[in-house]
Amino acid sequence: MAITNGYTTLATLKAYLKIDDSVEDTMLEDIIEASSRSIDQIANRHFYADASATARTFRPVGNMRVITDDISSLTGLILKTDPNSVGVYQTTFTINTDYIVEPTTALAKGRPINYLTIVGGTALSLPVNYRPQVEVTAKWGWPAVPNDIEQATLILSADYYKRKDSIGGVLGLSELGAIRMSPLGRDIQAIVRAYRREFFA
């Protein structure tokens, strides 16, 4: 199988594990994808960039700012509002005229956009019911996978790989008893903690 939205490559993992044959390539690809999705769950976000733009709806913070999910690119970015609160997003705002993206230096630093802030003369409509007032079309995710997220993927993938030969987490026996693997994911939690998003927009 091919790896879908993995945070490392098959070649990188094989070098990390010092594997020089292709006998287990399919299993290693499965492991990379499983490790990547586990990291998504820990972080409460994903670090790959969507290939195409899709629409999501949000409730604004006041009438001047929208907190969004991670946005990976300006390509395909569209902001629309529903001024009548009927579920029809008919008013389109223009980037850098009606609104700006923030943090303003995020993409240059390889990090995602998380806010859209109104700077023009037209504010967002104040809600009159619980319908989301804003529709954002974007390529969601991160512009690039952070280096430490790739390292976390390699560590977790190596743990998954070794556990196939260590039933119950036992690597072997010594004079002092069983040699056990460290708890799965302990190092991963420490690495990914800095990236964890505590809420979705």
Side-chain angles (χ1 to χ4, degrees):
M1 62 166 286
I3 300 168
T4 302
N5 298 321
Y7 297 148
T8 193
T9 65
L10 176 62
T12 302
L13 179 60
K14 289 173 71 172
Y16 188 81
L17 296 171
K18 296 182 171 57
I19 295 173
D20 56 9
D21 60 58
S22 59
V23 174
E24 298 178 312
D25 280 7
T26 298
M27 180 181 67
L28 292 172
E29 289 176 335
D30 287 340
I31 285 173
I32 289 172
E33 191 164 331
S35 298
S36 301
R37 299 295 75 79
S38 293
I39 287 171
D40 291 347
Q41 293 296 318
I42 296 169
N44 210 23
R45 69 200 325 164
H46 66 74
F47 297 94
Y48 59 86
D50 287 350
S52 57
T54 55
R56 298 180 184 178
T57 57
F58 303 92
R59 293 183 177 90
V61 178
N63 62 352
M64 299 298 289
R65 171 172 281 188
V66 184
I67 301 174
T68 69
D69 298 330
D70 296 331
I71 296 173
S72 68
S73 172
L74 297 180
T75 302
L77 179 60
I78 302 171
L79 169 62
K80 293 183 177 182
T81 64
D82 173 18
N84 300 317
S85 295
V86 294
V88 179
Y89 300 93
Q90 57 186 343
T91 303
T92 302
F93 284 55
T94 302
I95 190 169
N96 293 329
T97 300
D98 299 318
Y99 72 97
I100 59 173
V101 299
E102 295 190 274
T104 55
T105 59
L107 296 179
K109 294 180 177 179
R111 298 185 68 88
I113 296 160
N114 296 118
Y115 308 95
L116 306 180
T117 302
I118 300 301
V119 294
T122 303
L124 300 171
S125 303
L126 292 173
V128 297
N129 56 39
Y130 284 109
R131 288 183 184 275
Q133 297 291 115
V134 174
E135 179 187 80
V136 179
T137 300
K139 293 183 177 182
W140 308 101
W142 278 54
V145 178
N147 291 336
D148 43 356
I149 293 298
E150 181 177 13
Q151 288 302 309
T153 306
L154 289 170
I155 293 169
L156 186 54
S157 295
D159 267 2
Y160 280 150
Y161 178 76
K162 291 175 183 176
R163 282 176 190 272
K164 72 181 177 63
D165 298 319
S166 56
I167 304 302
V170 177
L171 290 171
L173 299 173
S174 71
E175 295 176 355
L176 300 176
I179 303 172
R180 295 185 177 276
M181 297 184 69
S182 61
L184 184 63
R186 182 177 62 186
D187 295 333
I188 309 307
Q189 292 279 356
I191 294 171
V192 179
R193 186 181 300 122
Y195 292 93
R196 178 169 172 79
R197 192 165 191 183
E198 298 298 338
F199 66 94
F200 282 118

